[in-house]
Amino acid sequence: MQVACDQCGTKFNLSDDKVAGHTRVQFKCSKCGKVTILQLNKPPETTQSVSPLPDFARAPGGGSSLGGTIVSTSSGLSLPADKVITVSVIAGAAKGFAHTLAKPRAVIGRKGGGADIEVDDQEISRWHCAIEVKADVVKLRDLDSTNGTYIEDERVRAAELQHLSEFRIGSTVMLVTITPKQE
C-alpha cells in the first residue's frame, strides 16, 4: 500500500502485513519526522478527519451567523441508555470543570457565548465545536472555529472519540469518559 506524509508529501510503501487486520495505521516520515495516522476500512458510522470542512459536518448556518441561537441538528442522534458520557477539563483555566451529557448534541464554546458547555478560555470561539452521540459512537466536530480543534497536536474538522480521548480547544485540554451507568 502506498501512502504519503501529510506534512511534506513524501511517499512510502507499507507492506500488506503491516496494514492487514488494522483500521488505523501510523507511520513516521523519514524526511520531516511527522507522524501520520491513516484510517483504513472505517465503518460508515465513524467520522473521518477531513479538511476542508464538508457540508455534512457543518452546524446549520455556520458559527457566528447563528444569531445567538444554537440550532439543534440532533436528527438520528441518541445517548446510549447504558452509559454516561462526561466531558472534563483536564488542563487550562477551567481545570476541574466537568459536564455530563444530558442530550446527544452539545456545543462547546467560550463562556458567555451561549453554548451548551461554556469554558472560560478567550482562545475558544463562541461556538467552537460540538460533541454528537449516536448510540455508542461519539463524534467531535469543529464548528469553523477560529483557532481550531486539536487531537494529539493535529487540527481536525471531525473525529471519532473513544473512552479517555483527549482534545484541545484554545488553551484548554478536554477529556471524554464513557462509563457504565450506575443503577
Side-chain angles (χ1 to χ4, degrees), residues 16 19-20 27-29 35 37 46 48 59 65-66 84 91 113 128-129 143 153 160 165 170 174:
D16 289 339
V19 297
F27 67 93
K28 185 174 183 177
C29 179
V35 173
I37 300 172
T46 60
Q48 299 177 24
S65 62
L66 290 175
V84 175
H128 197 98
C129 61
L143 299 177
D153 295 325
E160 182 178 333
S165 290
M174 305 188 93

mmCIF file of all heavy atoms in Angstrom, residues 16 19-20 27-29 35 37 46 48 59 65-66 84 91 113 128-129 143 153 160 165 170 174:
data_model
loop_
_atom_site.group_PDB
_atom_site.id
_atom_site.type_symbol
_atom_site.label_atom_id
_atom_site.label_comp_id
_atom_site.label_asym_id
_atom_site.label_seq_id
_atom_site.Cartn_x
_atom_site.Cartn_y
_atom_site.Cartn_z
ATOM 1 N N ASP A 16 1.748 -5.181 3.114
ATOM 2 C CA ASP A 16 0.400 -5.641 3.414
ATOM 3 C C ASP A 16 0.298 -6.232 4.812
ATOM 4 O O ASP A 16 -0.729 -6.098 5.475
ATOM 5 C CB ASP A 16 -0.063 -6.669 2.382
ATOM 6 C CG ASP A 16 -0.341 -6.028 1.026
ATOM 7 O OD1 ASP A 16 -0.556 -4.796 0.984
ATOM 8 O OD2 ASP A 16 -0.338 -6.759 0.020
ATOM 9 N N VAL A 19 -0.518 -3.575 7.439
ATOM 10 C CA VAL A 19 -1.846 -2.966 7.446
ATOM 11 C C VAL A 19 -2.969 -3.979 7.575
ATOM 12 O O VAL A 19 -4.088 -3.613 7.922
ATOM 13 C CB VAL A 19 -2.070 -2.099 6.184
ATOM 14 C CG1 VAL A 19 -1.111 -0.945 6.142
ATOM 15 C CG2 VAL A 19 -1.981 -2.912 4.919
ATOM 16 N N ALA A 20 -2.685 -5.256 7.328
ATOM 17 C CA ALA A 20 -3.727 -6.291 7.369
ATOM 18 C C ALA A 20 -4.357 -6.377 8.757
ATOM 19 O O ALA A 20 -3.669 -6.428 9.766
ATOM 20 C CB ALA A 20 -3.135 -7.641 6.977
ATOM 21 N N PHE A 27 2.518 5.964 10.784
ATOM 22 C CA PHE A 27 3.904 5.890 10.344
ATOM 23 C C PHE A 27 4.577 7.240 10.530
ATOM 24 O O PHE A 27 3.921 8.270 10.524
ATOM 25 C CB PHE A 27 4.022 5.403 8.893
ATOM 26 C CG PHE A 27 3.480 6.364 7.866
ATOM 27 C CD1 PHE A 27 4.309 7.286 7.242
ATOM 28 C CD2 PHE A 27 2.148 6.339 7.511
ATOM 29 C CE1 PHE A 27 3.816 8.161 6.300
ATOM 30 C CE2 PHE A 27 1.640 7.212 6.567
ATOM 31 C CZ PHE A 27 2.483 8.126 5.957
ATOM 32 N N LYS A 28 5.897 7.201 10.727
ATOM 33 C CA LYS A 28 6.689 8.406 10.912
ATOM 34 C C LYS A 28 7.483 8.657 9.643
ATOM 35 O O LYS A 28 8.164 7.766 9.140
ATOM 36 C CB LYS A 28 7.624 8.253 12.110
ATOM 37 C CG LYS A 28 8.388 9.505 12.441
ATOM 38 C CD LYS A 28 9.171 9.332 13.728
ATOM 39 C CE LYS A 28 9.877 10.617 14.111
ATOM 40 N NZ LYS A 28 10.577 10.499 15.383
ATOM 41 N N CYS A 29 7.403 9.870 9.128
ATOM 42 C CA CYS A 29 8.096 10.239 7.904
ATOM 43 C C CYS A 29 9.601 10.310 8.167
ATOM 44 O O CYS A 29 10.039 10.962 9.121
ATOM 45 C CB CYS A 29 7.593 11.588 7.396
ATOM 46 S SG CYS A 29 8.411 12.156 5.898
ATOM 47 N N VAL A 35 4.485 12.386 12.258
ATOM 48 C CA VAL A 35 3.733 11.139 12.362
ATOM 49 C C VAL A 35 2.402 11.336 11.652
ATOM 50 O O VAL A 35 1.690 12.309 11.885
ATOM 51 C CB VAL A 35 3.507 10.738 13.833
ATOM 52 C CG1 VAL A 35 2.590 9.535 13.919
ATOM 53 C CG2 VAL A 35 4.830 10.460 14.511
ATOM 54 N N ILE A 37 -1.290 9.429 10.715
ATOM 55 C CA ILE A 37 -2.191 8.336 11.079
ATOM 56 C C ILE A 37 -3.235 8.220 9.973
ATOM 57 O O ILE A 37 -3.891 9.198 9.621
ATOM 58 C CB ILE A 37 -2.875 8.600 12.436
ATOM 59 C CG1 ILE A 37 -1.824 8.724 13.530
ATOM 60 C CG2 ILE A 37 -3.875 7.497 12.752
ATOM 61 C CD1 ILE A 37 -2.372 9.160 14.860
ATOM 62 N N THR A 46 -18.529 5.815 11.511
ATOM 63 C CA THR A 46 -17.463 6.595 12.112
ATOM 64 C C THR A 46 -17.183 7.849 11.302
ATOM 65 O O THR A 46 -17.517 7.937 10.132
ATOM 66 C CB THR A 46 -16.167 5.779 12.256
ATOM 67 O OG1 THR A 46 -15.760 5.365 10.962
ATOM 68 C CG2 THR A 46 -16.371 4.574 13.148
ATOM 69 N N GLN A 48 -14.498 10.582 9.780
ATOM 70 C CA GLN A 48 -13.120 10.718 9.359
ATOM 71 C C GLN A 48 -12.682 12.156 9.598
ATOM 72 O O GLN A 48 -13.474 13.072 9.497
ATOM 73 C CB GLN A 48 -12.989 10.403 7.877
ATOM 74 C CG GLN A 48 -13.401 8.997 7.529
ATOM 75 C CD GLN A 48 -13.333 8.764 6.038
ATOM 76 O OE1 GLN A 48 -12.618 9.440 5.341
ATOM 77 N NE2 GLN A 48 -14.086 7.803 5.569
ATOM 78 N N ALA A 59 -22.395 22.914 11.313
ATOM 79 C CA ALA A 59 -23.605 23.269 12.040
ATOM 80 C C ALA A 59 -24.428 24.138 11.099
ATOM 81 O O ALA A 59 -23.880 24.891 10.303
ATOM 82 C CB ALA A 59 -23.262 24.041 13.312
ATOM 83 N N SER A 65 -23.023 33.194 12.396
ATOM 84 C CA SER A 65 -24.255 33.637 11.766
ATOM 85 C C SER A 65 -25.488 32.988 12.391
ATOM 86 O O SER A 65 -26.579 33.128 11.877
ATOM 87 C CB SER A 65 -24.214 33.335 10.265
ATOM 88 O OG SER A 65 -24.124 31.949 10.054
ATOM 89 N N LEU A 66 -25.329 32.311 13.510
ATOM 90 C CA LEU A 66 -26.474 31.661 14.144
ATOM 91 C C LEU A 66 -27.380 32.662 14.853
ATOM 92 O O LEU A 66 -28.456 32.318 15.295
ATOM 93 C CB LEU A 66 -26.013 30.590 15.139
ATOM 94 C CG LEU A 66 -25.390 29.350 14.514
ATOM 95 C CD1 LEU A 66 -24.857 28.430 15.609
ATOM 96 C CD2 LEU A 66 -26.361 28.614 13.644
ATOM 97 N N VAL A 84 -22.794 6.623 30.549
ATOM 98 C CA VAL A 84 -22.739 8.045 30.888
ATOM 99 C C VAL A 84 -21.519 8.623 30.180
ATOM 100 O O VAL A 84 -20.422 8.071 30.271
ATOM 101 C CB VAL A 84 -22.611 8.254 32.415
ATOM 102 C CG1 VAL A 84 -22.425 9.718 32.753
ATOM 103 C CG2 VAL A 84 -23.815 7.668 33.135
ATOM 104 N N ALA A 91 -6.842 20.435 31.638
ATOM 105 C CA ALA A 91 -5.767 21.426 31.615
ATOM 106 C C ALA A 91 -6.332 22.734 31.085
ATOM 107 O O ALA A 91 -7.159 22.747 30.180
ATOM 108 C CB ALA A 91 -4.606 20.957 30.751
ATOM 109 N N GLY A 113 -20.943 32.873 25.635
ATOM 110 C CA GLY A 113 -21.293 32.801 24.217
ATOM 111 C C GLY A 113 -22.576 32.054 23.917
ATOM 112 O O GLY A 113 -23.004 31.991 22.784
ATOM 113 N N HIS A 128 -17.439 26.725 19.414
ATOM 114 C CA HIS A 128 -16.161 26.222 18.934
ATOM 115 C C HIS A 128 -16.272 24.846 18.272
ATOM 116 O O HIS A 128 -15.811 24.636 17.162
ATOM 117 C CB HIS A 128 -15.160 26.159 20.096
ATOM 118 C CG HIS A 128 -13.747 26.042 19.655
ATOM 119 N ND1 HIS A 128 -12.911 27.128 19.572
ATOM 120 C CD2 HIS A 128 -13.028 24.977 19.260
ATOM 121 C CE1 HIS A 128 -11.727 26.738 19.142
ATOM 122 N NE2 HIS A 128 -11.769 25.416 18.944
ATOM 123 N N CYS A 129 -16.872 23.909 18.988
ATOM 124 C CA CYS A 129 -17.003 22.539 18.476
ATOM 125 C C CYS A 129 -18.250 21.913 19.089
ATOM 126 O O CYS A 129 -18.857 22.474 19.991
ATOM 127 C CB CYS A 129 -15.759 21.707 18.784
ATOM 128 S SG CYS A 129 -15.395 21.519 20.543
ATOM 129 N N LEU A 143 -16.667 23.571 14.630
ATOM 130 C CA LEU A 143 -17.730 24.398 14.053
ATOM 131 C C LEU A 143 -17.136 25.654 13.408
ATOM 132 O O LEU A 143 -17.547 26.768 13.716
ATOM 133 C CB LEU A 143 -18.756 24.766 15.134
ATOM 134 C CG LEU A 143 -19.474 23.590 15.785
ATOM 135 C CD1 LEU A 143 -20.418 24.073 16.887
ATOM 136 C CD2 LEU A 143 -20.228 22.760 14.754
ATOM 137 N N ASP A 153 -2.137 17.163 18.826
ATOM 138 C CA ASP A 153 -1.470 18.236 18.080
ATOM 139 C C ASP A 153 -1.804 18.268 16.595
ATOM 140 O O ASP A 153 -1.139 18.942 15.822
ATOM 141 C CB ASP A 153 0.051 18.183 18.280
ATOM 142 C CG ASP A 153 0.439 18.469 19.722
ATOM 143 O OD1 ASP A 153 -0.234 19.295 20.371
ATOM 144 O OD2 ASP A 153 1.411 17.856 20.199
ATOM 145 N N GLU A 160 -13.790 10.713 15.532
ATOM 146 C CA GLU A 160 -14.499 9.848 16.465
ATOM 147 C C GLU A 160 -13.720 9.799 17.770
ATOM 148 O O GLU A 160 -12.498 9.682 17.771
ATOM 149 C CB GLU A 160 -14.640 8.440 15.891
ATOM 150 C CG GLU A 160 -15.410 7.514 16.814
ATOM 151 C CD GLU A 160 -15.599 6.129 16.229
ATOM 152 O OE1 GLU A 160 -15.609 5.980 14.990
ATOM 153 O OE2 GLU A 160 -15.730 5.197 17.018
ATOM 154 N N SER A 165 -10.484 9.676 25.390
ATOM 155 C CA SER A 165 -9.948 10.510 24.310
ATOM 156 C C SER A 165 -9.764 11.925 24.829
ATOM 157 O O SER A 165 -10.589 12.439 25.590
ATOM 158 C CB SER A 165 -10.907 10.557 23.118
ATOM 159 O OG SER A 165 -10.962 9.335 22.447
ATOM 160 N N GLY A 170 -8.400 25.963 22.053
ATOM 161 C CA GLY A 170 -7.713 27.077 22.694
ATOM 162 C C GLY A 170 -6.583 26.551 23.553
ATOM 163 O O GLY A 170 -5.794 25.720 23.129
ATOM 164 N N MET A 174 -9.448 18.853 27.000
ATOM 165 C CA MET A 174 -10.646 18.187 27.489
ATOM 166 C C MET A 174 -10.513 16.689 27.336
ATOM 167 O O MET A 174 -9.843 16.202 26.431
ATOM 168 C CB MET A 174 -11.879 18.708 26.757
ATOM 169 C CG MET A 174 -11.995 20.235 26.859
ATOM 170 S SD MET A 174 -13.531 20.878 26.224
ATOM 171 C CE MET A 174 -14.478 20.890 27.730
#
